[in-house]
Amino acid sequence: MSGRWSAVVAAIVVGGGTAHAEREVTGRVLDAASGQPVVGALVAVGAGEAGSDDDGRFTIENLPFGRHDVVVIADGFRAYFGSARVGDELTIRIVPAVGEGELIRVSGRVPSGPPLHLDTTEIRNLPGAGNDALRALQSLPGVARTPFGLGGLALRGTAPRDTKVYLDGIEVPLLYHFGGIASFLPTAAVDELTLQPGGASVRYGRGLGGVATVTSRTGRGDRWRVGGEVSLIHAAAIAEGPGPARGSWLMGVRRSYFDAIQKAASLDLALVPRYGDAQLRWESGDGQWMAIAFVSDDKLRLVHDPNDASTGGINTSNVKAFTYTSRFARLGMRYRAVHGATQLTILPSVGIDDVNGRANHNDQDKGLHRWTVPLTLRAEVATPLFGGTLSFGLDGGGSRHAYDIINTPPPSPSDPTPDMVLRRSLTRWTADLGAWIEQSWFVANDKIEIRPGLRGDHIGLSDQWSLDPRIVIHEQLPHHIELTQSAGLYNEPPLITDLDPIFMREKPMLGSIAAQLAFGGKAIVADDNEVSATAYYQHLRQLPVDAVTGATPISANGGTDSGGALGISRELVDAQFGSYSYREAIGRGYAYGLELIARRNRGTWTGWVAYTYGRSLRQNPTRGPDYFAYVLDQPHTLTIVGTTALGKQWRAGGRFRYATGNPFTPIAGATMDADGDYIAIDGPILSSRLPSFFQLDLRLDRTWRRAWGILNLYLDIQNVTNRRNAEGVTYNEDYTVRSYTRGLPIFPSIGVEYIP
């Protein structure tokens, strides 16, 4: 055969557990123009590769569980990019191309992938997740439990704002709609979720915690089809069909109807949430081009009896109105190409974040409106070099930050006792620039991978430069045993609200720094079970902490150090609204722990048992030299998840969760002031704990499979025992009687999903 070939065997493994008969991917390569089989095409699936036979068929065996990138190269055809899961049978149609290439094969394995992953097969039937994709992440090890099922991923002792979330490579500000009721992306649009609780690659920067990556699903392009879901809390529709360049469209829309039900039925609710989201995705037939747009919209308003002095344990007697809205949108386009053995990926994106909270308190209008316009660019090149794979790229862009605040400023060195409601605004353009390089070497017959990397960042908000070296070592041992060690430095920028001009800082507000170490091992047992263990340690410095003590006692001020539901809520909204206090980057901390997971990937029973022992401690020099528990310090967490098929049409499952109670600052006593009001006396900071958390969730699915599609009826009951878990503390007027703010009661979710 005359001509030049071009090929690349570089597909990044992002595997996970699925339920299939063999750990292999099979399929057929066809000419998209004629429908005839393509002979001799090079097919790379993850770290495996094979050539297509005379009928265009191929089989790649002994793959790790989960999803893998797919690259197909053949003489006279354009390169094909796609993805597949273990057990899939593919039909790949490649497009004829003008020009010829040269065959270049890259030996060795591709860099090892993230450790924790879920695909839609597991997500759809996961008990306790309410048929929601991203809420399933909360059942994995290393994830702290948040009260009331609120959103936010706090990983390995870090704060929720420290975790970075990406959809198809585009960073998103929020993983969940308000209250954690649902994630910003419906399950029908999700292909896979991957979680790295720590030790993230140099590809990711400006974050101290882990990385959650969401891969959206490529629409089916053979014909148009419409599916959807209707449940007690929302309705959704999703459509997919053929698009330009032999590609496909995928579009979806979803809206909740809590507000409509409350209005129509005149329900006695204190807070009424409403959320919605929409997605639009196009991908070319060869996978070279992809464009995506997605939006999220939340609103929460207070509707309570003005004569009722309390809402969920919080004093609202002087609150006449409260409205909260949160919106964000993103638009991005990805381009992938190969030249010889070099692969190029470019992903520009633009977006807007808009958060607005308004309240009338004591007849005073107060609030904060914050909006950001991020312009970002991610670019990556991977090529064989020095006997391995060299990857390097850029990750940066510009942002327009702005906010408008109307409130009584917090105490600060310039004004220790503020007593007037002031309005202040800030607008600032910043530029963040990140560059990284990573080299992957394989030695000992490809059994050992050594992957050092270096990342440099300029953080615009703090005008701060950082240089973060990181390294990963991965060993493959006999009997399907793998070991991984990682170490690295991580930097994170401050929040825009920490730069409030009213603080009149004498020195700049710096970002935070973390040093991470991790040692892990994984084994595949009996070819269908995974067992893994990871020990980790993190050293944290330059953490933002409250630096001025106000007149209100710590135990009653709702700040992070108060603990309980209010302290954790402060952590959850920190990234959206920013700080409500004067902070300085003088805090320190450390976290350590052990994560264990045993997982069954196929067969009648699927599921996992996950246990985490973890401690997270903090030091605030303004409170003294001692370290105290972080507000989300949970020494013991245990999650047991299992589902089983009951015949061909039914499936049942359950989830059990246990977690050590969150810490809070107790009240040691009280004194009476001149006006006859009781003033609390603080006990040791975050020295007491709420009772332990227990919850049992059950799920039942009934499936009808017809020629026109799949109809699935599900009943998902959270907290089936109606246990009244403690989530916070309240006191009577003279602080002599303590009571608990209780968590969510039994919550049934019933719905029907149609998959065409």
mmCIF file with all atom_site columns, all heavy atoms in Angstrom, residues 618-640:
data_model
loop_
_atom_site.group_PDB
_atom_site.id
_atom_site.type_symbol
_atom_site.label_atom_id
_atom_site.label_alt_id
_atom_site.label_comp_id
_atom_site.label_asym_id
_atom_site.label_entity_id
_atom_site.label_seq_id
_atom_site.pdbx_PDB_ins_code
_atom_site.Cartn_x
_atom_site.Cartn_y
_atom_site.Cartn_z
_atom_site.occupancy
_atom_site.B_iso_or_equiv
_atom_site.pdbx_formal_charge
_atom_site.auth_seq_id
_atom_site.auth_comp_id
_atom_site.auth_asym_id
_atom_site.auth_atom_id
_atom_site.pdbx_PDB_model_num
ATOM 1   N N   . ARG A 1 618 ? -6.848  22.925 62.443 1.00 0.00 ? 618 ARG A N   1
ATOM 2   C CA  . ARG A 1 618 ? -6.524  24.287 62.031 1.00 0.00 ? 618 ARG A CA  1
ATOM 3   C C   . ARG A 1 618 ? -5.932  25.058 63.204 1.00 0.00 ? 618 ARG A C   1
ATOM 4   O O   . ARG A 1 618 ? -6.193  24.767 64.375 1.00 0.00 ? 618 ARG A O   1
ATOM 5   C CB  . ARG A 1 618 ? -7.781  25.019 61.544 1.00 0.00 ? 618 ARG A CB  1
ATOM 6   C CG  . ARG A 1 618 ? -8.432  24.434 60.321 1.00 0.00 ? 618 ARG A CG  1
ATOM 7   C CD  . ARG A 1 618 ? -7.606  24.685 59.070 1.00 0.00 ? 618 ARG A CD  1
ATOM 8   N NE  . ARG A 1 618 ? -8.346  24.323 57.877 1.00 0.00 ? 618 ARG A NE  1
ATOM 9   C CZ  . ARG A 1 618 ? -8.351  23.122 57.323 1.00 0.00 ? 618 ARG A CZ  1
ATOM 10  N NH1 . ARG A 1 618 ? -7.649  22.154 57.884 1.00 0.00 ? 618 ARG A NH1 1
ATOM 11  N NH2 . ARG A 1 618 ? -9.043  22.881 56.234 1.00 0.00 ? 618 ARG A NH2 1
ATOM 12  N N   . GLN A 1 619 ? -5.160  26.094 62.839 1.00 0.00 ? 619 GLN A N   1
ATOM 13  C CA  . GLN A 1 619 ? -4.627  27.032 63.828 1.00 0.00 ? 619 GLN A CA  1
ATOM 14  C C   . GLN A 1 619 ? -4.897  28.448 63.359 1.00 0.00 ? 619 GLN A C   1
ATOM 15  O O   . GLN A 1 619 ? -4.600  28.799 62.210 1.00 0.00 ? 619 GLN A O   1
ATOM 16  C CB  . GLN A 1 619 ? -3.128  26.845 64.039 1.00 0.00 ? 619 GLN A CB  1
ATOM 17  C CG  . GLN A 1 619 ? -2.541  27.787 65.081 1.00 0.00 ? 619 GLN A CG  1
ATOM 18  C CD  . GLN A 1 619 ? -1.048  27.985 64.915 1.00 0.00 ? 619 GLN A CD  1
ATOM 19  O OE1 . GLN A 1 619 ? -0.579  28.295 63.819 1.00 0.00 ? 619 GLN A OE1 1
ATOM 20  N NE2 . GLN A 1 619 ? -0.299  27.791 65.987 1.00 0.00 ? 619 GLN A NE2 1
ATOM 21  N N   . ASN A 1 620 ? -5.478  29.266 64.246 1.00 0.00 ? 620 ASN A N   1
ATOM 22  C CA  . ASN A 1 620 ? -5.676  30.687 64.004 1.00 0.00 ? 620 ASN A CA  1
ATOM 23  C C   . ASN A 1 620 ? -4.846  31.432 65.039 1.00 0.00 ? 620 ASN A C   1
ATOM 24  O O   . ASN A 1 620 ? -5.203  31.441 66.227 1.00 0.00 ? 620 ASN A O   1
ATOM 25  C CB  . ASN A 1 620 ? -7.155  31.042 64.129 1.00 0.00 ? 620 ASN A CB  1
ATOM 26  C CG  . ASN A 1 620 ? -7.434  32.504 63.822 1.00 0.00 ? 620 ASN A CG  1
ATOM 27  O OD1 . ASN A 1 620 ? -6.526  33.333 63.809 1.00 0.00 ? 620 ASN A OD1 1
ATOM 28  N ND2 . ASN A 1 620 ? -8.692  32.830 63.581 1.00 0.00 ? 620 ASN A ND2 1
ATOM 29  N N   . PRO A 1 621 ? -3.728  32.036 64.648 1.00 0.00 ? 621 PRO A N   1
ATOM 30  C CA  . PRO A 1 621 ? -2.845  32.686 65.630 1.00 0.00 ? 621 PRO A CA  1
ATOM 31  C C   . PRO A 1 621 ? -3.544  33.732 66.481 1.00 0.00 ? 621 PRO A C   1
ATOM 32  O O   . PRO A 1 621 ? -3.120  33.987 67.616 1.00 0.00 ? 621 PRO A O   1
ATOM 33  C CB  . PRO A 1 621 ? -1.756  33.315 64.751 1.00 0.00 ? 621 PRO A CB  1
ATOM 34  C CG  . PRO A 1 621 ? -1.741  32.492 63.515 1.00 0.00 ? 621 PRO A CG  1
ATOM 35  C CD  . PRO A 1 621 ? -3.169  32.100 63.296 1.00 0.00 ? 621 PRO A CD  1
ATOM 36  N N   . THR A 1 622 ? -4.610  34.356 65.973 1.00 0.00 ? 622 THR A N   1
ATOM 37  C CA  . THR A 1 622 ? -5.309  35.356 66.776 1.00 0.00 ? 622 THR A CA  1
ATOM 38  C C   . THR A 1 622 ? -6.108  34.724 67.902 1.00 0.00 ? 622 THR A C   1
ATOM 39  O O   . THR A 1 622 ? -6.535  35.422 68.830 1.00 0.00 ? 622 THR A O   1
ATOM 40  C CB  . THR A 1 622 ? -6.254  36.198 65.895 1.00 0.00 ? 622 THR A CB  1
ATOM 41  O OG1 . THR A 1 622 ? -7.315  35.380 65.400 1.00 0.00 ? 622 THR A OG1 1
ATOM 42  C CG2 . THR A 1 622 ? -5.499  36.814 64.728 1.00 0.00 ? 622 THR A CG2 1
ATOM 43  N N   . ARG A 1 623 ? -6.349  33.398 67.822 1.00 0.00 ? 623 ARG A N   1
ATOM 44  C CA  . ARG A 1 623 ? -7.069  32.686 68.880 1.00 0.00 ? 623 ARG A CA  1
ATOM 45  C C   . ARG A 1 623 ? -6.121  31.939 69.816 1.00 0.00 ? 623 ARG A C   1
ATOM 46  O O   . ARG A 1 623 ? -6.560  31.304 70.760 1.00 0.00 ? 623 ARG A O   1
ATOM 47  C CB  . ARG A 1 623 ? -8.040  31.680 68.275 1.00 0.00 ? 623 ARG A CB  1
ATOM 48  C CG  . ARG A 1 623 ? -8.901  32.232 67.151 1.00 0.00 ? 623 ARG A CG  1
ATOM 49  C CD  . ARG A 1 623 ? -10.270 32.564 67.626 1.00 0.00 ? 623 ARG A CD  1
ATOM 50  N NE  . ARG A 1 623 ? -11.206 32.733 66.541 1.00 0.00 ? 623 ARG A NE  1
ATOM 51  C CZ  . ARG A 1 623 ? -11.900 33.846 66.320 1.00 0.00 ? 623 ARG A CZ  1
ATOM 52  N NH1 . ARG A 1 623 ? -11.722 34.903 67.101 1.00 0.00 ? 623 ARG A NH1 1
ATOM 53  N NH2 . ARG A 1 623 ? -12.762 33.933 65.321 1.00 0.00 ? 623 ARG A NH2 1
ATOM 54  N N   . GLY A 1 624 ? -4.823  31.957 69.515 1.00 0.00 ? 624 GLY A N   1
ATOM 55  C CA  . GLY A 1 624 ? -3.866  31.254 70.345 1.00 0.00 ? 624 GLY A CA  1
ATOM 56  C C   . GLY A 1 624 ? -3.052  30.261 69.536 1.00 0.00 ? 624 GLY A C   1
ATOM 57  O O   . GLY A 1 624 ? -3.289  30.045 68.341 1.00 0.00 ? 624 GLY A O   1
ATOM 58  N N   . PRO A 1 625 ? -2.079  29.596 70.191 1.00 0.00 ? 625 PRO A N   1
ATOM 59  C CA  . PRO A 1 625 ? -1.167  28.698 69.467 1.00 0.00 ? 625 PRO A CA  1
ATOM 60  C C   . PRO A 1 625 ? -1.727  27.304 69.222 1.00 0.00 ? 625 PRO A C   1
ATOM 61  O O   . PRO A 1 625 ? -1.139  26.529 68.466 1.00 0.00 ? 625 PRO A O   1
ATOM 62  C CB  . PRO A 1 625 ? 0.049   28.632 70.398 1.00 0.00 ? 625 PRO A CB  1
ATOM 63  C CG  . PRO A 1 625 ? -0.537  28.818 71.771 1.00 0.00 ? 625 PRO A CG  1
ATOM 64  C CD  . PRO A 1 625 ? -1.694  29.771 71.603 1.00 0.00 ? 625 PRO A CD  1
ATOM 65  N N   . ASP A 1 626 ? -2.831  26.948 69.859 1.00 0.00 ? 626 ASP A N   1
ATOM 66  C CA  . ASP A 1 626 ? -3.337  25.578 69.770 1.00 0.00 ? 626 ASP A CA  1
ATOM 67  C C   . ASP A 1 626 ? -4.022  25.312 68.429 1.00 0.00 ? 626 ASP A C   1
ATOM 68  O O   . ASP A 1 626 ? -4.628  26.207 67.828 1.00 0.00 ? 626 ASP A O   1
ATOM 69  C CB  . ASP A 1 626 ? -4.327  25.303 70.900 1.00 0.00 ? 626 ASP A CB  1
ATOM 70  C CG  . ASP A 1 626 ? -3.679  25.369 72.269 1.00 0.00 ? 626 ASP A CG  1
ATOM 71  O OD1 . ASP A 1 626 ? -2.456  25.141 72.347 1.00 0.00 ? 626 ASP A OD1 1
ATOM 72  O OD2 . ASP A 1 626 ? -4.389  25.665 73.257 1.00 0.00 ? 626 ASP A OD2 1
ATOM 73  N N   . TYR A 1 627 ? -3.944  24.048 68.003 1.00 0.00 ? 627 TYR A N   1
ATOM 74  C CA  . TYR A 1 627 ? -4.696  23.582 66.837 1.00 0.00 ? 627 TYR A CA  1
ATOM 75  C C   . TYR A 1 627 ? -6.040  23.046 67.310 1.00 0.00 ? 627 TYR A C   1
ATOM 76  O O   . TYR A 1 627 ? -6.133  22.413 68.366 1.00 0.00 ? 627 TYR A O   1
ATOM 77  C CB  . TYR A 1 627 ? -3.928  22.484 66.100 1.00 0.00 ? 627 TYR A CB  1
ATOM 78  C CG  . TYR A 1 627 ? -2.812  23.000 65.230 1.00 0.00 ? 627 TYR A CG  1
ATOM 79  C CD1 . TYR A 1 627 ? -1.585  23.352 65.783 1.00 0.00 ? 627 TYR A CD1 1
ATOM 80  C CD2 . TYR A 1 627 ? -2.972  23.142 63.855 1.00 0.00 ? 627 TYR A CD2 1
ATOM 81  C CE1 . TYR A 1 627 ? -0.559  23.832 64.982 1.00 0.00 ? 627 TYR A CE1 1
ATOM 82  C CE2 . TYR A 1 627 ? -1.951  23.609 63.042 1.00 0.00 ? 627 TYR A CE2 1
ATOM 83  C CZ  . TYR A 1 627 ? -0.746  23.962 63.619 1.00 0.00 ? 627 TYR A CZ  1
ATOM 84  O OH  . TYR A 1 627 ? 0.264   24.440 62.836 1.00 0.00 ? 627 TYR A OH  1
ATOM 85  N N   . PHE A 1 628 ? -7.091  23.299 66.533 1.00 0.00 ? 628 PHE A N   1
ATOM 86  C CA  . PHE A 1 628 ? -8.419  22.799 66.859 1.00 0.00 ? 628 PHE A CA  1
ATOM 87  C C   . PHE A 1 628 ? -9.021  22.148 65.616 1.00 0.00 ? 628 PHE A C   1
ATOM 88  O O   . PHE A 1 628 ? -8.542  22.331 64.498 1.00 0.00 ? 628 PHE A O   1
ATOM 89  C CB  . PHE A 1 628 ? -9.325  23.908 67.389 1.00 0.00 ? 628 PHE A CB  1
ATOM 90  C CG  . PHE A 1 628 ? -9.333  25.160 66.549 1.00 0.00 ? 628 PHE A CG  1
ATOM 91  C CD1 . PHE A 1 628 ? -10.148 25.271 65.433 1.00 0.00 ? 628 PHE A CD1 1
ATOM 92  C CD2 . PHE A 1 628 ? -8.512  26.228 66.889 1.00 0.00 ? 628 PHE A CD2 1
ATOM 93  C CE1 . PHE A 1 628 ? -10.150 26.414 64.658 1.00 0.00 ? 628 PHE A CE1 1
ATOM 94  C CE2 . PHE A 1 628 ? -8.505  27.385 66.110 1.00 0.00 ? 628 PHE A CE2 1
ATOM 95  C CZ  . PHE A 1 628 ? -9.327  27.482 64.995 1.00 0.00 ? 628 PHE A CZ  1
ATOM 96  N N   . ALA A 1 629 ? -10.086 21.386 65.808 1.00 0.00 ? 629 ALA A N   1
ATOM 97  C CA  . ALA A 1 629 ? -10.705 20.649 64.709 1.00 0.00 ? 629 ALA A CA  1
ATOM 98  C C   . ALA A 1 629 ? -11.272 21.609 63.670 1.00 0.00 ? 629 ALA A C   1
ATOM 99  O O   . ALA A 1 629 ? -11.842 22.652 64.015 1.00 0.00 ? 629 ALA A O   1
ATOM 100 C CB  . ALA A 1 629 ? -11.803 19.747 65.241 1.00 0.00 ? 629 ALA A CB  1
ATOM 101 N N   . TYR A 1 630 ? -11.092 21.256 62.419 1.00 0.00 ? 630 TYR A N   1
ATOM 102 C CA  . TYR A 1 630 ? -11.747 21.995 61.341 1.00 0.00 ? 630 TYR A CA  1
ATOM 103 C C   . TYR A 1 630 ? -13.243 21.734 61.420 1.00 0.00 ? 630 TYR A C   1
ATOM 104 O O   . TYR A 1 630 ? -13.697 20.686 61.900 1.00 0.00 ? 630 TYR A O   1
ATOM 105 C CB  . TYR A 1 630 ? -11.177 21.553 59.995 1.00 0.00 ? 630 TYR A CB  1
ATOM 106 C CG  . TYR A 1 630 ? -11.854 22.148 58.786 1.00 0.00 ? 630 TYR A CG  1
ATOM 107 C CD1 . TYR A 1 630 ? -12.012 23.520 58.652 1.00 0.00 ? 630 TYR A CD1 1
ATOM 108 C CD2 . TYR A 1 630 ? -12.343 21.330 57.771 1.00 0.00 ? 630 TYR A CD2 1
ATOM 109 C CE1 . TYR A 1 630 ? -12.638 24.072 57.548 1.00 0.00 ? 630 TYR A CE1 1
ATOM 110 C CE2 . TYR A 1 630 ? -12.958 21.868 56.660 1.00 0.00 ? 630 TYR A CE2 1
ATOM 111 C CZ  . TYR A 1 630 ? -13.107 23.236 56.554 1.00 0.00 ? 630 TYR A CZ  1
ATOM 112 O OH  . TYR A 1 630 ? -13.736 23.773 55.459 1.00 0.00 ? 630 TYR A OH  1
ATOM 113 N N   . VAL A 1 631 ? -14.036 22.686 60.924 1.00 0.00 ? 631 VAL A N   1
ATOM 114 C CA  . VAL A 1 631 ? -15.485 22.598 61.071 1.00 0.00 ? 631 VAL A CA  1
ATOM 115 C C   . VAL A 1 631 ? -16.066 21.363 60.374 1.00 0.00 ? 631 VAL A C   1
ATOM 116 O O   . VAL A 1 631 ? -17.144 20.884 60.740 1.00 0.00 ? 631 VAL A O   1
ATOM 117 C CB  . VAL A 1 631 ? -16.129 23.900 60.544 1.00 0.00 ? 631 VAL A CB  1
ATOM 118 C CG1 . VAL A 1 631 ? -15.982 23.996 59.037 1.00 0.00 ? 631 VAL A CG1 1
ATOM 119 C CG2 . VAL A 1 631 ? -17.576 24.008 60.953 1.00 0.00 ? 631 VAL A CG2 1
ATOM 120 N N   . LEU A 1 632 ? -15.369 20.797 59.386 1.00 0.00 ? 632 LEU A N   1
ATOM 121 C CA  . LEU A 1 632 ? -15.813 19.577 58.712 1.00 0.00 ? 632 LEU A CA  1
ATOM 122 C C   . LEU A 1 632 ? -14.905 18.391 59.038 1.00 0.00 ? 632 LEU A C   1
ATOM 123 O O   . LEU A 1 632 ? -14.782 17.449 58.253 1.00 0.00 ? 632 LEU A O   1
ATOM 124 C CB  . LEU A 1 632 ? -15.873 19.792 57.195 1.00 0.00 ? 632 LEU A CB  1
ATOM 125 C CG  . LEU A 1 632 ? -17.115 20.525 56.691 1.00 0.00 ? 632 LEU A CG  1
ATOM 126 C CD1 . LEU A 1 632 ? -16.941 20.970 55.239 1.00 0.00 ? 632 LEU A CD1 1
ATOM 127 C CD2 . LEU A 1 632 ? -18.360 19.657 56.831 1.00 0.00 ? 632 LEU A CD2 1
ATOM 128 N N   . ASP A 1 633 ? -14.280 18.440 60.212 1.00 0.00 ? 633 ASP A N   1
ATOM 129 C CA  . ASP A 1 633 ? -13.458 17.319 60.668 1.00 0.00 ? 633 ASP A CA  1
ATOM 130 C C   . ASP A 1 633 ? -14.366 16.166 61.082 1.00 0.00 ? 633 ASP A C   1
ATOM 131 O O   . ASP A 1 633 ? -15.165 16.284 62.010 1.00 0.00 ? 633 ASP A O   1
ATOM 132 C CB  . ASP A 1 633 ? -12.594 17.769 61.851 1.00 0.00 ? 633 ASP A CB  1
ATOM 133 C CG  . ASP A 1 633 ? -11.810 16.616 62.461 1.00 0.00 ? 633 ASP A CG  1
ATOM 134 O OD1 . ASP A 1 633 ? -10.998 16.019 61.737 1.00 0.00 ? 633 ASP A OD1 1
ATOM 135 O OD2 . ASP A 1 633 ? -12.034 16.306 63.648 1.00 0.00 ? 633 ASP A OD2 1
ATOM 136 N N   . GLN A 1 634 ? -14.252 15.043 60.377 1.00 0.00 ? 634 GLN A N   1
ATOM 137 C CA  . GLN A 1 634 ? -15.077 13.864 60.641 1.00 0.00 ? 634 GLN A CA  1
ATOM 138 C C   . GLN A 1 634 ? -14.154 12.647 60.701 1.00 0.00 ? 634 GLN A C   1
ATOM 139 O O   . GLN A 1 634 ? -13.813 12.073 59.662 1.00 0.00 ? 634 GLN A O   1
ATOM 140 C CB  . GLN A 1 634 ? -16.141 13.695 59.548 1.00 0.00 ? 634 GLN A CB  1
ATOM 141 C CG  . GLN A 1 634 ? -17.131 14.842 59.481 1.00 0.00 ? 634 GLN A CG  1
ATOM 142 C CD  . GLN A 1 634 ? -17.969 14.858 58.214 1.00 0.00 ? 634 GLN A CD  1
ATOM 143 O OE1 . GLN A 1 634 ? -17.903 13.950 57.394 1.00 0.00 ? 634 GLN A OE1 1
ATOM 144 N NE2 . GLN A 1 634 ? -18.755 15.916 58.050 1.00 0.00 ? 634 GLN A NE2 1
ATOM 145 N N   . PRO A 1 635 ? -13.706 12.270 61.895 1.00 0.00 ? 635 PRO A N   1
ATOM 146 C CA  . PRO A 1 635 ? -12.718 11.180 61.997 1.00 0.00 ? 635 PRO A CA  1
ATOM 147 C C   . PRO A 1 635 ? -13.132 9.878  61.323 1.00 0.00 ? 635 PRO A C   1
ATOM 148 O O   . PRO A 1 635 ? -12.297 9.188  60.740 1.00 0.00 ? 635 PRO A O   1
ATOM 149 C CB  . PRO A 1 635 ? -12.558 11.004 63.514 1.00 0.00 ? 635 PRO A CB  1
ATOM 150 C CG  . PRO A 1 635 ? -12.893 12.344 64.080 1.00 0.00 ? 635 PRO A CG  1
ATOM 151 C CD  . PRO A 1 635 ? -13.974 12.894 63.197 1.00 0.00 ? 635 PRO A CD  1
ATOM 152 N N   . HIS A 1 636 ? -14.421 9.530  61.397 1.00 0.00 ? 636 HIS A N   1
ATOM 153 C CA  . HIS A 1 636 ? -14.851 8.246  60.835 1.00 0.00 ? 636 HIS A CA  1
ATOM 154 C C   . HIS A 1 636 ? -16.057 8.452  59.917 1.00 0.00 ? 636 HIS A C   1
ATOM 155 O O   . HIS A 1 636 ? -17.053 9.056  60.310 1.00 0.00 ? 636 HIS A O   1
ATOM 156 C CB  . HIS A 1 636 ? -15.238 7.266  61.948 1.00 0.00 ? 636 HIS A CB  1
ATOM 157 C CG  . HIS A 1 636 ? -14.152 7.002  62.940 1.00 0.00 ? 636 HIS A CG  1
ATOM 158 N ND1 . HIS A 1 636 ? -13.102 6.147  62.694 1.00 0.00 ? 636 HIS A ND1 1
ATOM 159 C CD2 . HIS A 1 636 ? -13.944 7.521  64.185 1.00 0.00 ? 636 HIS A CD2 1
ATOM 160 C CE1 . HIS A 1 636 ? -12.296 6.125  63.734 1.00 0.00 ? 636 HIS A CE1 1
ATOM 161 N NE2 . HIS A 1 636 ? -12.786 6.955  64.656 1.00 0.00 ? 636 HIS A NE2 1
ATOM 162 N N   . THR A 1 637 ? -15.952 7.956  58.702 1.00 0.00 ? 637 THR A N   1
ATOM 163 C CA  . THR A 1 637 ? -17.101 7.905  57.792 1.00 0.00 ? 637 THR A CA  1
ATOM 164 C C   . THR A 1 637 ? -17.136 6.526  57.138 1.00 0.00 ? 637 THR A C   1
ATOM 165 O O   . THR A 1 637 ? -16.102 5.978  56.758 1.00 0.00 ? 637 THR A O   1
ATOM 166 C CB  . THR A 1 637 ? -17.030 8.985  56.695 1.00 0.00 ? 637 THR A CB  1
ATOM 167 O OG1 . THR A 1 637 ? -15.819 8.811  55.936 1.00 0.00 ? 637 THR A OG1 1
ATOM 168 C CG2 . THR A 1 637 ? -17.035 10.380 57.288 1.00 0.00 ? 637 THR A CG2 1
ATOM 169 N N   . LEU A 1 638 ? -18.322 5.991  57.037 1.00 0.00 ? 638 LEU A N   1
ATOM 170 C CA  . LEU A 1 638 ? -18.521 4.668  56.449 1.00 0.00 ? 638 LEU A CA  1
ATOM 171 C C   . LEU A 1 638 ? -19.719 4.725  55.521 1.00 0.00 ? 638 LEU A C   1
ATOM 172 O O   . LEU A 1 638 ? -20.785 5.226  55.893 1.00 0.00 ? 638 LEU A O   1
ATOM 173 C CB  . LEU A 1 638 ? -18.762 3.625  57.542 1.00 0.00 ? 638 LEU A CB  1
ATOM 174 C CG  . LEU A 1 638 ? -19.165 2.215  57.074 1.00 0.00 ? 638 LEU A CG  1
ATOM 175 C CD1 . LEU A 1 638 ? -18.009 1.538  56.348 1.00 0.00 ? 638 LEU A CD1 1
ATOM 176 C CD2 . LEU A 1 638 ? -19.625 1.371  58.260 1.00 0.00 ? 638 LEU A CD2 1
ATOM 177 N N   . THR A 1 639 ? -19.542 4.235  54.304 1.00 0.00 ? 639 THR A N   1
ATOM 178 C CA  . THR A 1 639 ? -20.631 4.170  53.328 1.00 0.00 ? 639 THR A CA  1
ATOM 179 C C   . THR A 1 639 ? -20.682 2.764  52.739 1.00 0.00 ? 639 THR A C   1
ATOM 180 O O   . THR A 1 639 ? -19.663 2.242  52.284 1.00 0.00 ? 639 THR A O   1
ATOM 181 C CB  . THR A 1 639 ? -20.440 5.191  52.195 1.00 0.00 ? 639 THR A CB  1
ATOM 182 O OG1 . THR A 1 639 ? -20.350 6.501  52.743 1.00 0.00 ? 639 THR A OG1 1
ATOM 183 C CG2 . THR A 1 639 ? -21.605 5.140  51.222 1.00 0.00 ? 639 THR A CG2 1
ATOM 184 N N   . ILE A 1 640 ? -21.862 2.162  52.758 1.00 0.00 ? 640 ILE A N   1
ATOM 185 C CA  . ILE A 1 640 ? -22.072 0.850  52.150 1.00 0.00 ? 640 ILE A CA  1
ATOM 186 C C   . ILE A 1 640 ? -23.168 1.003  51.105 1.00 0.00 ? 640 ILE A C   1
ATOM 187 O O   . ILE A 1 640 ? -24.289 1.413  51.429 1.00 0.00 ? 640 ILE A O   1
ATOM 188 C CB  . ILE A 1 640 ? -22.485 -0.198 53.201 1.00 0.00 ? 640 ILE A CB  1
ATOM 189 C CG1 . ILE A 1 640 ? -21.428 -0.296 54.306 1.00 0.00 ? 640 ILE A CG1 1
ATOM 190 C CG2 . ILE A 1 640 ? -22.694 -1.558 52.542 1.00 0.00 ? 640 ILE A CG2 1
ATOM 191 C CD1 . ILE A 1 640 ? -21.832 -1.205 55.447 1.00 0.00 ? 640 ILE A CD1 1
#
